[in-house]
Amino acid sequence: MSATADGPSRRSFIKGAGAAMAASRLAACGDAPPQNVIPYAEQPEDMVPGRPRFYATAFPYAGFVQAVLAETHMGRPTKLEGNPDHPVSQGATDAFTQAAVTELYNPDRSRTILRAGAEVGWEDFADMAAGLAGPGLRILTGAVGSPTLFRQLQALGERGARWHLHEPWPAPFASVGGAVLRPRLDRAAVVVSLGDDLLGPGPAQVHNLRNWSVEGGGRRRLMVAEPSLTLTGAAAQSRLAVPERRLSVLAQAIAAELDGGNFPESAPAEAEWARWAAAALAANAGRSLLTAGSGLPSQVHRSVLAVNEALGNAGRTVLPTEPALAKAPDGARSFAMLVEDMAAGAVSALVVIGANPAYTSPAGIDFAAALARVPVTVHAGLYPDETAALCRWHLPLAHPLEDWSDGRAVDGTASIIQPVIPPVFRTYSAHAILAALLGEPAARPHDIVRDTWRAVWGEDAFAERWRRSLLAGFIAETAAGPARPRPGEEPSAPPPAGDGLEVVFLPDPSIGDGRFAAVPFLQELPKPLTKLTWDNVIGLSARLAARLGIENGDMIALSAQTGEVIGPAWVLPGQAEETVTLFLGYGRRQGAGEATGRGYDAYRLMPAGGESIGATIRKAEGRARLAVTQPWQTLAGRDDIIRTVAPGEALPREPERPSLYPEWPYPGPAWGMAIDLAACGGCNACVVACQIENSVPYVGPEQVAMGREMHWLRVDVYYGDRGAVHFQPIPCMHCEKAPCEMGCPVNATVHGPEGLNQMIYNRCIGTRTCSSYCPYKVRRFNFFDYAGAMPAAYSGYRNPDVTVRGRGVMEKCTYCTQRIAQARIEARKEDRPLRDGEVVTACQQVCPSRAIVFGDLADPDSAVSRARRGPRNYLLLGELGTRPRTSYLAKIEEG
Amino acid sequence: MGIYQPITEQVADITLQRRFRFRWWLALLASGALVLVFIAAVLWLFAAGVGIWGINVPVNWGLAIVNTVWWVGIGHAGTLISALLLIMSQTWRNALNRFAEAMTLFAVLMAAMFPILHLGRPELFYWMFPVPSTMGVWPQFRSPLIWDVTSFLSYLIASLVFWYVGMIPDLATLRDRARRRWQRRAYGVLALGWRGSAMHWARWRQAYFAIAAIVFVLVISVHSGVAMLFAASTLPGWHTTLLPPFFVFGAVFSGFAVVIVLAVVIRAAFGLHNLLTRDHLDLLGRMLLTTGLLTAYGYLFEAFHAWFSGELREIATLRDQMAGQYAWSYWGAVAMNFATIQLLWWRRARRSVPVLATVAILVAIGMWLERYMIVVTGLYKDFLPSSWGAYQAPVSEWALFAGSIGLFAFLFVLFARFLPLMSMFELKEAAAEEKGEHG
Amino acid sequence: MGAGRRVAAGVAAAAGIVAVALLAAMAGLEIPAPPPQPVPFSHAHHAGEVGIDCRYCHYFVERASSAGFPAMEVCASCHYPVPERPGAEPVVWRRLTKLPEFVYFDHSIHLGAGVGCATCHGAVERMARVRQPQPFTMLWCLDCHRDPTPYLRERADLFETDWRAPEDHAESGRRLMAERGIDPARLEHCYVCHR
């Protein structure tokens, strides 16, 4: 299924690529098909027109890679799927990885080498770079998981250069005494999290959601104490909202409760919760897990580890392992020391690769001022960002899908990153840039990466292992081994910040720490807990908002010792009362494409490490117009939308509603879907996967604010009683008795012989009756030519098997009909029926928590039929008699 | 001859003799300016797409549908006055029917335009007609939109034919009285060679009554069909059997209101006080009151049904109507459609031109508000709270609405000048009968 | 008298204009003339006189949605014996058969179901300059999708250039449909061709 990009096929691939690009449906946005047909000069052996090819590669994020299979059509990558064989991803990816393929074509990417703003060539840079290596040279990168990059950095170190690391947000797993503590939620019956957003966005999300959902995530008991609601808190059965400064106290209390130590002074609610948590942990010793946010002080982690060791959890539900990321020479102070040296004039040349410190510098570190004292400054990045603007040199960095590299997944499993397309723009990989610094400007990243692994495997085994690793997409048995945490006394933490208002920081759920700010698809991805798009807000509790007399959207000012930010207020359900949450990633000044200048910059207040600070709050002038995709976030008394059962309980069977219309006959498959609300973690990966698979355009903040977002699949959020948070993914229900079909005057939406509610764009005249009639409002209308309004470069990622919709037509989820059609054609050619599981929808394929099952309802043995017969199955708005083909499995909650 | 001559002269002279007066030109210019607004709004719409409107998901129908329902409702009174009262031999209709029919025709034209303008791809509107094509695809006949296309079109054609056939004898009169050559030719062609022979009259009467019978049925079917556009959905507040009769009552109600407004204007503008008497206004006032009370019955039972159903969502929609974001449209409708017409219980109010005209204008506005309430309140909060939204019409939608009023007025102003405003021969007939009775 | 007759004449004239306009519109549906090609390639010579199988050049036709256009090296394999093969430059052909982008035609499944090349492409072996023999309108496609019996062949006959439907095609077609599991009711729905 997958192919390698080197060897003969790669040669022909590159050769044919030019012709292929011309012949492919790049002109898909226009009405007329291309006028010319350009065949290859030499036919690549395994290139079949119209048939995608898959390359196993990996996409790095904050130092960790996610193994993927890249789908390419005639040389164009169009979609990334999780590598099903990889031990971490097991076929899933997160939302960021789904959007990565669009970043490849992002027209805001930087594409030329600049020296003082003027375009120069690679040779100019290479000449300059060759002389830099020496004691004055400093390299600044983000987290490094690539063995090759680390090898190159070490080689530069041998020549006197010094490597510094700046990652704006702490890595997902905490570490104690040199060992990384990797949770294994699949082995835990009870999980107690102290501010650890296990299921939230980040490099470990897929890892944790996958494990959490083994045997159904809702069956695991999850207890969370945190200052601001996260996806982990949303999934918790028991959640305590406390200021971040109280988390270490809770850790102490749990430890004291278990080992009989000194129970710290705490509020009654805290003490009760801690006792409860401790009891649950103890009752499930060996199958329980206590975990704390990686940004918390290290002595908290020490005591958490002690609890897990005492309960026999260590080595089972939490694995102390060797770190997968390279360790920076100066540890946590790496970046601060660099800036101190720069300010002191001790740095003669600074090369920043893939980081944006001019934007992400924490408060109190004036990177820009220090940079002014460095004679030679080089920045390499995907975008001409804030740091690029300050540096004399700027190099356009290659996208990970464009050049060779390697990396490690969160469990340490290594992958070779192979390019799936020749660079879209003239860009350079980090390896090439470091090679230039090492005086080898002509070295190809392909050879550099091969050299790394040749050294590891030895010359004899190399060729075979390299080939195998490329085909597999990862290098087997390279997961990080167990480690023993070094004993040691951690420095005692500063005392809690007092009783005043506390400010906590969180990376934005959709654009991370700001690195994805230029990706419009992620900007428009509704943030799971607020449904906001394109902006960040200052989150505060309902009580605090009432006290200040402010509503959602009112501007408020937050003053701390380090500075002041002004942003729109937003009431976050489940927010600790005296806590305010700031979201990172916005307030970008440069290089964030369409999002440049949107929102406020939380880095101006954030201390290094991201811990909480004290601040004062006041009302400011004005209101913001926020683009929210779901303005109502309560059930408004309609509780049967989300159903909950006690473990083992069964919902009453849905009666078959009568209809005046005759039944549809189904000689063949009758497709259906079941979505398990107990498993859904609200991570949004399905939303982006659907968007990419079906070439769904983004529309921009103004259109979203008008209620015109185009996502075919949305994840609704409802805040219920007693702090309950419900996520409900809503694709088209493909109703058996569909109101839309009855309303359409021109037969543009009709019932197909396999049960699909078909939407025929080219027949649609845009009366919008179907949308008016749809009880689920899953239909999306092209009020403008949204696809055409996107930059033309994005036509590159579009799925050639899906029609691009023009102005004035309706569209909606098709159950990925192009995948059904492809599977049906293949099966028909082989004269066999479709197998269960042969058709996988994009949302189902990507889902890290396996919440979506799709298949043939006419086959009683199919997975979806079994799910539908199960005790938790229910139909959304079943009483309307629409007989939806998409059904839901109820959440599970102890009575 | 004595009693006929003045009527003929008075009505025919408006078209044949009278000079174009300043006030007529003013009216033509004012409505013409609005027609330009209409043209600009349509061009803007076609160039940029329906995205320029305030519609969204869930409120994906906006003013365009409101206007359609409103206009086609107005188009009901004309036909009802003509056809129903003709069949019932109510001779008082004779002063009203011609211009009321013209009003119907123009209003239905306006109504028919909006569903096309509101399409995402208006150039393909003809796919809603059963035209054989190389695609081999037909319209979807279960759709209420297809019923609407059929009923609008048949109503438009039938109204046009009814109006035209009814006008033939008068056109012949104009032809015979015309002095200018172009008038003789134009009215001559339009009169289709009418000579007023007994045979002509007999055939004419058969045809006219037959068409009247057909048109009367269409009055019921058109607005029931429009109501089905809403009632055939599953939405709370829309999905009710009450809607079709409720819509028909409301339609006739708004139609009478506009007839009153036009009658008052025509009466004053052309000095037709003797033909369009206070008795006529009194009768119209009574009709307005009657149909208004029928509509009020609809309001009452809409609320009762929602409450009586005990259905959470029906009650929620009722609450949204009365206290939601768009409650102003509900209470505006109740105030103007129910409260104001109570004045008409008094004979003096009915016979007072200013009072009657004011009430009629308020009713016309109130009925528009009611259509707004039905469309927007029905859509903005439906089943899943997650998909609830809001709607606000921007200038692009208002311009189109104002433009359509302008276009309607423009056509009416032209009609008033170039075609017989009143049915001369029927007025004469009635006068003859009266004389016969008394003398 | 005159007025009525004049109106009648006017109506007749209007009807005439409409009829002419309709005819003009129908003319627009006519099969387009073949565009000029950069190389005067003759199917009549290659497929007819020399008798090269369709699949020699259109080698993806049984495997993929697109039949494929021959790479230059395929042309060169006959025209230039190996030693003096020139550096290959692709030929930029003008597209003859244009389907709208919302139509997803798949050659392989049509062959798989038993529809031969000539059913849609005509007798290319007799065309010196290949032209589109069918209008390729939706109704034309539907005609076969609704009743494929006259067009279904034994698999051995798929590439026969002068195949004629057998006399008993109603019966043989039905047999082939049953064999291959072809159900016209399922062939007619929108998602077969549109997505």
Short mmCIF file of all heavy atoms in Angstrom, two decimals, chain A residues 115-158:
data_model
loop_
_atom_site.label_atom_id
_atom_site.label_comp_id
_atom_site.label_asym_id
_atom_site.label_seq_id
_atom_site.Cartn_x
_atom_site.Cartn_y
_atom_site.Cartn_z
N ARG A 115 18.18 38.67 2.67
CA ARG A 115 19.25 39.27 3.46
C ARG A 115 18.91 40.74 3.58
O ARG A 115 18.84 41.45 2.59
CB ARG A 115 20.62 39.09 2.78
CG ARG A 115 21.75 39.68 3.62
CD ARG A 115 23.08 39.44 2.95
NE ARG A 115 23.11 40.08 1.64
CZ ARG A 115 23.96 39.73 0.67
NH1 ARG A 115 24.85 38.77 0.87
NH2 ARG A 115 23.93 40.35 -0.49
N ALA A 116 18.67 41.16 4.80
CA ALA A 116 18.23 42.54 5.06
C ALA A 116 17.06 42.91 4.15
O ALA A 116 17.01 43.99 3.58
CB ALA A 116 19.40 43.51 4.87
N GLY A 117 16.17 41.98 3.97
CA GLY A 117 14.97 42.25 3.20
C GLY A 117 15.11 42.06 1.71
O GLY A 117 14.13 42.10 0.99
N ALA A 118 16.34 41.84 1.23
CA ALA A 118 16.53 41.69 -0.21
C ALA A 118 16.74 40.22 -0.55
O ALA A 118 17.35 39.48 0.22
CB ALA A 118 17.75 42.50 -0.66
N GLU A 119 16.21 39.83 -1.70
CA GLU A 119 16.28 38.44 -2.09
C GLU A 119 17.70 38.06 -2.49
O GLU A 119 18.34 38.77 -3.28
CB GLU A 119 15.31 38.22 -3.26
CG GLU A 119 15.05 36.78 -3.55
CD GLU A 119 14.01 36.60 -4.64
OE1 GLU A 119 13.13 37.48 -4.76
OE2 GLU A 119 14.09 35.59 -5.36
N VAL A 120 18.21 36.98 -1.94
CA VAL A 120 19.54 36.50 -2.32
C VAL A 120 19.46 35.00 -2.56
O VAL A 120 18.43 34.37 -2.33
CB VAL A 120 20.60 36.80 -1.24
CG1 VAL A 120 20.86 38.29 -1.11
CG2 VAL A 120 20.18 36.21 0.09
N GLY A 121 20.54 34.41 -2.99
CA GLY A 121 20.54 32.99 -3.31
C GLY A 121 21.11 32.14 -2.17
O GLY A 121 21.68 32.66 -1.20
N TRP A 122 20.94 30.85 -2.32
CA TRP A 122 21.44 29.90 -1.32
C TRP A 122 22.95 30.01 -1.19
O TRP A 122 23.51 29.89 -0.10
CB TRP A 122 21.01 28.49 -1.74
CG TRP A 122 21.60 27.38 -0.91
CD1 TRP A 122 22.55 26.48 -1.33
CD2 TRP A 122 21.29 27.05 0.45
NE1 TRP A 122 22.84 25.61 -0.31
CE2 TRP A 122 22.07 25.94 0.81
CE3 TRP A 122 20.43 27.58 1.40
CZ2 TRP A 122 22.04 25.36 2.06
CZ3 TRP A 122 20.39 27.00 2.66
CH2 TRP A 122 21.19 25.89 2.98
N GLU A 123 23.63 30.26 -2.32
CA GLU A 123 25.09 30.34 -2.29
C GLU A 123 25.54 31.49 -1.39
O GLU A 123 26.51 31.37 -0.65
CB GLU A 123 25.67 30.55 -3.69
CG GLU A 123 25.40 29.40 -4.66
CD GLU A 123 23.95 29.32 -5.08
OE1 GLU A 123 23.25 30.38 -5.07
OE2 GLU A 123 23.48 28.20 -5.38
N ASP A 124 24.80 32.61 -1.48
CA ASP A 124 25.16 33.76 -0.63
C ASP A 124 25.09 33.36 0.83
O ASP A 124 25.97 33.70 1.63
CB ASP A 124 24.21 34.93 -0.89
CG ASP A 124 24.27 35.38 -2.33
OD1 ASP A 124 25.35 35.80 -2.75
OD2 ASP A 124 23.25 35.29 -3.03
N PHE A 125 24.02 32.64 1.18
CA PHE A 125 23.89 32.23 2.56
C PHE A 125 24.98 31.24 2.91
O PHE A 125 25.63 31.34 3.95
CB PHE A 125 22.51 31.59 2.81
CG PHE A 125 22.42 30.95 4.16
CD1 PHE A 125 22.34 31.72 5.31
CD2 PHE A 125 22.47 29.57 4.29
CE1 PHE A 125 22.29 31.13 6.56
CE2 PHE A 125 22.42 28.97 5.54
CZ PHE A 125 22.33 29.75 6.68
N ALA A 126 25.22 30.27 2.01
CA ALA A 126 26.20 29.23 2.30
C ALA A 126 27.58 29.84 2.53
O ALA A 126 28.31 29.46 3.44
CB ALA A 126 26.23 28.20 1.18
N ASP A 127 27.93 30.81 1.70
CA ASP A 127 29.23 31.48 1.86
C ASP A 127 29.35 32.12 3.22
O ASP A 127 30.37 32.01 3.90
CB ASP A 127 29.41 32.55 0.76
CG ASP A 127 29.60 31.91 -0.60
OD1 ASP A 127 29.80 30.68 -0.63
OD2 ASP A 127 29.51 32.64 -1.61
N MET A 128 28.26 32.80 3.61
CA MET A 128 28.28 33.48 4.90
C MET A 128 28.31 32.46 6.03
O MET A 128 29.07 32.58 6.99
CB MET A 128 27.03 34.37 4.98
CG MET A 128 26.94 35.30 6.16
SD MET A 128 26.31 34.54 7.66
CE MET A 128 24.71 33.97 7.14
N ALA A 129 27.50 31.40 5.88
CA ALA A 129 27.31 30.44 6.96
C ALA A 129 28.58 29.65 7.24
O ALA A 129 28.84 29.28 8.39
CB ALA A 129 26.16 29.50 6.63
N ALA A 130 29.34 29.39 6.17
CA ALA A 130 30.51 28.54 6.34
C ALA A 130 31.48 29.12 7.36
O ALA A 130 32.21 28.39 8.03
CB ALA A 130 31.20 28.35 4.99
N GLY A 131 31.48 30.43 7.50
CA GLY A 131 32.43 31.05 8.42
C GLY A 131 31.91 31.24 9.83
O GLY A 131 32.60 31.81 10.67
N LEU A 132 30.69 30.79 10.10
CA LEU A 132 30.07 31.13 11.39
C LEU A 132 30.49 30.19 12.52
O LEU A 132 30.58 30.60 13.68
CB LEU A 132 28.54 31.11 11.28
CG LEU A 132 27.90 32.25 10.49
CD1 LEU A 132 26.39 32.11 10.53
CD2 LEU A 132 28.32 33.60 11.06
N ALA A 133 30.69 28.89 12.17
CA ALA A 133 30.92 27.91 13.24
C ALA A 133 32.08 28.34 14.10
O ALA A 133 33.15 28.68 13.60
CB ALA A 133 31.15 26.53 12.63
N GLY A 134 31.86 28.33 15.39
CA GLY A 134 32.88 28.78 16.31
C GLY A 134 32.23 29.11 17.63
O GLY A 134 31.00 28.98 17.77
N PRO A 135 32.99 29.54 18.59
CA PRO A 135 32.45 29.73 19.94
C PRO A 135 31.33 30.76 20.01
O PRO A 135 30.47 30.66 20.87
CB PRO A 135 33.66 30.19 20.74
CG PRO A 135 34.84 29.76 19.94
CD PRO A 135 34.42 29.74 18.51
N GLY A 136 31.33 31.75 19.11
CA GLY A 136 30.29 32.77 19.21
C GLY A 136 28.96 32.35 18.62
O GLY A 136 27.97 33.07 18.74
N LEU A 137 28.93 31.21 17.95
CA LEU A 137 27.71 30.81 17.24
C LEU A 137 26.74 30.14 18.19
O LEU A 137 27.10 29.23 18.94
CB LEU A 137 28.07 29.86 16.09
CG LEU A 137 26.87 29.22 15.36
CD1 LEU A 137 26.04 30.27 14.64
CD2 LEU A 137 27.35 28.16 14.37
N ARG A 138 25.51 30.58 18.16
CA ARG A 138 24.45 29.94 18.94
C ARG A 138 23.33 29.51 17.99
O ARG A 138 23.00 30.23 17.05
CB ARG A 138 23.86 30.92 19.97
CG ARG A 138 24.87 31.53 20.91
CD ARG A 138 25.52 30.46 21.78
NE ARG A 138 26.56 31.06 22.61
CZ ARG A 138 26.35 31.49 23.87
NH1 ARG A 138 25.14 31.39 24.38
NH2 ARG A 138 27.34 32.00 24.57
N ILE A 139 22.84 28.32 18.26
CA ILE A 139 21.70 27.81 17.49
C ILE A 139 20.51 27.76 18.44
O ILE A 139 20.61 27.24 19.56
CB ILE A 139 21.94 26.38 16.97
CG1 ILE A 139 23.35 26.21 16.44
CG2 ILE A 139 20.88 25.99 15.95
CD1 ILE A 139 23.60 26.86 15.14
N LEU A 140 19.39 28.28 18.00
CA LEU A 140 18.18 28.22 18.81
C LEU A 140 17.11 27.43 18.05
O LEU A 140 16.80 27.76 16.90
CB LEU A 140 17.66 29.62 19.12
CG LEU A 140 16.37 29.67 19.95
CD1 LEU A 140 16.60 29.13 21.34
CD2 LEU A 140 15.83 31.09 20.02
N THR A 141 16.59 26.41 18.69
CA THR A 141 15.55 25.60 18.03
C THR A 141 14.40 25.40 19.01
O THR A 141 14.51 25.71 20.19
CB THR A 141 16.07 24.21 17.64
OG1 THR A 141 16.36 23.50 18.84
CG2 THR A 141 17.30 24.28 16.78
N GLY A 142 13.32 24.85 18.48
CA GLY A 142 12.27 24.34 19.35
C GLY A 142 12.69 22.96 19.85
O GLY A 142 13.85 22.57 19.68
N ALA A 143 11.77 22.23 20.46
CA ALA A 143 12.09 20.91 20.97
C ALA A 143 12.63 20.05 19.83
O ALA A 143 12.14 20.09 18.71
CB ALA A 143 10.85 20.25 21.55
N VAL A 144 13.68 19.28 20.11
CA VAL A 144 14.32 18.48 19.08
C VAL A 144 14.10 17.01 19.38
O VAL A 144 14.54 16.50 20.42
CB VAL A 144 15.83 18.79 19.02
CG1 VAL A 144 16.52 17.81 18.08
CG2 VAL A 144 16.05 20.21 18.53
N GLY A 145 13.36 16.33 18.49
CA GLY A 145 13.19 14.90 18.64
C GLY A 145 13.89 14.15 17.52
O GLY A 145 13.98 12.93 17.54
N SER A 146 14.40 14.89 16.56
CA SER A 146 15.02 14.28 15.39
C SER A 146 16.45 13.85 15.72
O SER A 146 17.28 14.69 16.05
CB SER A 146 15.02 15.27 14.23
OG SER A 146 16.01 14.91 13.30
N PRO A 147 16.74 12.56 15.62
CA PRO A 147 18.11 12.12 15.90
C PRO A 147 19.11 12.78 14.95
O PRO A 147 20.23 13.10 15.37
CB PRO A 147 18.05 10.61 15.66
CG PRO A 147 16.61 10.25 15.84
CD PRO A 147 15.84 11.43 15.37
N THR A 148 18.69 13.00 13.71
CA THR A 148 19.63 13.60 12.76
C THR A 148 19.93 15.05 13.13
O THR A 148 21.08 15.48 13.11
CB THR A 148 19.04 13.53 11.34
OG1 THR A 148 18.81 12.16 11.03
CG2 THR A 148 19.95 14.15 10.33
N LEU A 149 18.87 15.77 13.50
CA LEU A 149 19.09 17.16 13.88
C LEU A 149 19.99 17.22 15.11
O LEU A 149 20.90 18.05 15.20
CB LEU A 149 17.74 17.82 14.18
CG LEU A 149 17.75 19.34 14.17
CD1 LEU A 149 18.08 19.87 12.79
CD2 LEU A 149 16.41 19.89 14.62
N PHE A 150 19.76 16.31 16.05
CA PHE A 150 20.56 16.30 17.26
C PHE A 150 22.02 15.98 16.92
O PHE A 150 22.95 16.58 17.45
CB PHE A 150 19.99 15.27 18.24
CG PHE A 150 20.66 15.32 19.58
CD1 PHE A 150 20.69 16.50 20.33
CD2 PHE A 150 21.25 14.19 20.12
CE1 PHE A 150 21.30 16.54 21.57
CE2 PHE A 150 21.88 14.23 21.35
CZ PHE A 150 21.91 15.41 22.08
N ARG A 151 22.21 15.04 16.00
CA ARG A 151 23.58 14.69 15.58
C ARG A 151 24.28 15.89 14.97
O ARG A 151 25.43 16.20 15.29
CB ARG A 151 23.51 13.55 14.55
CG ARG A 151 24.84 13.06 14.04
CD ARG A 151 24.66 11.88 13.13
NE ARG A 151 24.00 12.19 11.86
CZ ARG A 151 24.62 12.72 10.80
NH1 ARG A 151 25.91 13.01 10.85
NH2 ARG A 151 23.96 12.96 9.68
N GLN A 152 23.54 16.64 14.15
CA GLN A 152 24.14 17.82 13.52
C GLN A 152 24.46 18.88 14.56
O GLN A 152 25.49 19.55 14.49
CB GLN A 152 23.19 18.39 12.46
CG GLN A 152 23.10 17.53 11.21
CD GLN A 152 22.19 18.17 10.18
OE1 GLN A 152 21.00 18.33 10.44
NE2 GLN A 152 22.76 18.56 9.05
N LEU A 153 23.54 19.06 15.53
CA LEU A 153 23.78 20.05 16.58
C LEU A 153 25.01 19.68 17.39
O LEU A 153 25.80 20.55 17.77
CB LEU A 153 22.55 20.14 17.49
CG LEU A 153 21.33 20.82 16.88
CD1 LEU A 153 20.10 20.61 17.74
CD2 LEU A 153 21.59 22.32 16.69
N GLN A 154 25.16 18.36 17.64
CA GLN A 154 26.34 17.93 18.38
C GLN A 154 27.60 18.21 17.59
O GLN A 154 28.61 18.65 18.14
CB GLN A 154 26.23 16.45 18.70
CG GLN A 154 25.38 16.20 19.92
CD GLN A 154 25.23 14.71 20.18
OE1 GLN A 154 25.05 13.93 19.26
NE2 GLN A 154 25.32 14.34 21.45
N ALA A 155 27.53 17.96 16.25
CA ALA A 155 28.70 18.22 15.41
C ALA A 155 29.07 19.69 15.46
O ALA A 155 30.25 20.05 15.50
CB ALA A 155 28.40 17.78 13.98
N LEU A 156 28.05 20.55 15.47
CA LEU A 156 28.33 21.99 15.56
C LEU A 156 28.91 22.32 16.93
O LEU A 156 29.78 23.18 17.05
CB LEU A 156 27.05 22.79 15.32
CG LEU A 156 26.73 23.08 13.87
CD1 LEU A 156 25.31 23.62 13.74
CD2 LEU A 156 27.72 24.09 13.28
N GLY A 157 28.40 21.63 17.94
CA GLY A 157 28.91 21.83 19.29
C GLY A 157 30.38 21.52 19.38
O GLY A 157 31.15 22.21 20.07
N GLU A 158 30.80 20.48 18.64
CA GLU A 158 32.22 20.13 18.65
C GLU A 158 33.06 21.26 18.07
O GLU A 158 34.24 21.37 18.34
CB GLU A 158 32.44 18.84 17.85
CG GLU A 158 32.06 17.61 18.67
CD GLU A 158 31.80 16.41 17.79
OE1 GLU A 158 32.28 16.40 16.63
OE2 GLU A 158 31.09 15.49 18.25
#
